[in-house]
Amino acid sequence: MSEHDAERSGQSLSDLLRVLDLEQIEVNIFRGISPAEGPQRVFGGLVAGQALVAAGRTVPTDRYVHSLHAYFIRPGDPTVPIVYEVDRVRDGRSFTTRRVVAIQHGKAIFTLSASFHKEEPGLDHQTPMPDVPPPEDLLSTRQRLREAFGKVPNFVQWHPIEMRPVGAMSFEAERDPGLRTDTNPVWFKVDGKLPDDRLTQVCLMTYASDMTLLDTVLLRHGRSFAGIAMASLDHAMWFHRPFRADEWLLYAQESPTAQGARGLARGLVYTREGQLVCSVVQEGMIRVVDAEGWS
């Protein structure tokens, strides 16, 4: 069944690009909004993507983001705009550094530090891509949920990112302990055509990178979202090579540890040709609030 079927009720790609196109209200101050459809609090990937847009618009066009480090401080309110204040920390000969604070109701809800680099030659190597089936041989997340539950839950309807898990999903591992694993490879791409500029590509990657990482922690323990309180705490990304977020990318995720109501997950992102384009690490709060799983 097509991802564009009538059951899909969330935002379109044009909606997402619109909310990523921030309004500049002063030299280093930008304002962003949340989509009309979405979760009850601002999605972490959205505020990270908007903060990166704000930082990128203060940087020379010949410098590209190579790393970002972010902290999620407070839940965002999707009913009011977010103000992004950019601090131009440094403009060097090869590197540019920016710090961004996202503010709502007079308080910081998110901070981001990003570094931009003017391209230059150097050493080149990478970890090889895992051997997995191609995305055309796999069902999407929405299709698998529809087959299992007869409908697509609201929390996966509202975004224009198509995801195709290679292995078990967390609700499947909850039902079958034999499916528990600490790896979680997922193919994903933006459902539509993106502009060619690299800032848009990395902002969409940043948005999508927050969607499945903490699921990888749950998958290891055979838990799903029921009875679990989860929130992203911090998020780090390194961008290695150019890519397009509207072409299939493999997000090879794993969870090396969980303890003390926190879980760590990391991922490597590859093009389907096997180029390593991005590395991601995230720690999240994962608090068990009941003793039973999703029946």
Side-chain angles (χ1 to χ4, degrees):
M1 186 178 293
S2 169
E3 292 298 317
H4 300 281
D5 61 28
E7 200 170 24
R8 171 77 173 273
S9 61
Q11 63 178 332
S12 66
L13 177 57
S14 61
D15 294 331
L16 178 55
L17 292 175
R18 178 177 58 83
V19 299
L20 287 173
D21 185 18
L22 303 183
E23 175 190 4
Q24 185 165 3
I25 58 178
E26 249 299 345
V27 174
N28 296 318
I29 302 176
F30 300 82
R31 180 162 52 202
I33 60 173
S34 295
E37 298 285 344
Q40 293 182 341
R41 62 184 180 185
V42 178
F43 171 53
L46 176 63
V47 69
Q50 287 183 333
L52 187 56
V53 169
R57 289 187 178 175
T58 69
V59 173
T61 56
D62 65 343
R63 300 188 180 201
Y64 305 103
V65 62
H66 71 89
S67 71
L68 64 84
H69 296 74
Y71 282 93
F72 299 91
I73 301 170
R74 294 180 176 89
D77 180 354
T79 66
V80 299
I82 304 174
V83 174
Y84 295 91
E85 295 185 351
V86 180
D87 180 8
R88 302 186 185 222
V89 177
R90 182 176 184 268
D91 291 292
R93 288 182 297 177
S94 300
F95 291 89
T96 295
T97 306
R98 295 291 184 261
R99 184 181 298 117
V100 184
V101 179
I103 300 170
Q104 279 188 322
H105 304 296
K107 296 179 179 179
I109 66 168
F110 174 87
T111 63
L112 175 138
S113 294
S115 181
F116 297 75
H117 183 211
K118 186 175 182 179
E119 289 188 330
E120 54 186 299
L123 303 177
D124 196 323
H125 75 275
Q126 67 165 64
T127 299
M129 184 174 75
D131 185 14
V132 299
E136 292 81 8
D137 293 350
L138 303 168
L139 295 177
S140 71
T141 294
R142 295 185 180 100
Q143 289 171 320
R144 287 172 66 169
L145 287 167
R146 186 185 297 114
E147 288 188 359
F149 301 105
K151 63 178 182 179
V152 180
N154 289 335
F155 68 87
V156 293
Q157 285 186 342
W158 57 269
H159 60 78
I161 309 295
E162 183 176 356
M163 296 178 291
R164 298 192 179 185
V166 174
M169 297 179 65
S170 58
F171 73 88
E172 296 167 332
E174 186 174 53
R175 294 172 169 181
D176 182 355
L179 296 177
R180 296 179 184 182
T181 177
D182 57 5
T183 62
N184 183 26
V186 177
W187 288 100
F188 76 93
K189 71 178 182 69
V190 173
D191 191 10
K193 183 70 173 176
L194 289 176
D196 291 334
D197 69 284
R198 284 174 61 170
L199 182 60
T200 297
Q201 305 295 328
V202 298
C203 288
L204 267 295
M205 171 75 81
T206 302
Y207 176 94
S209 69
D210 189 38
M211 301 184 75
T212 55
L213 267 174
L214 294 186
D215 292 355
T216 307
V217 181
L218 296 182
L219 190 58
R220 171 65 176 79
H221 293 270
R223 293 298 303 251
S224 64
F225 294 101
I228 298 288
M230 277 200 321
S232 302
L233 295 174
D234 59 4
H235 196 82
M237 302 181 72
W238 295 264
F239 301 95
H240 311 305
R241 298 170 178 86
F243 60 87
R244 293 198 62 91
D246 53 7
E247 297 177 355
W248 285 114
L249 298 165
L250 178 68
Y251 199 2
Q253 302 160 101
E254 62 177 359
S255 177
T257 184
Q259 74 297 311
R262 302 191 317 275
L264 186 72
R266 58 195 180 195
L268 300 177
V269 182
Y270 296 87
T271 66
R272 67 183 305 159
E273 293 76 28
Q275 274 206 320
L276 177 59
V277 296
C278 181
S279 299
V280 189
V281 179
Q282 182 180 97
E283 187 176 48
M285 182 199 78
I286 302 180
R287 185 173 291 148
V288 179
V289 296
D290 72 1
E292 301 295 332
W294 186 3
S295 63

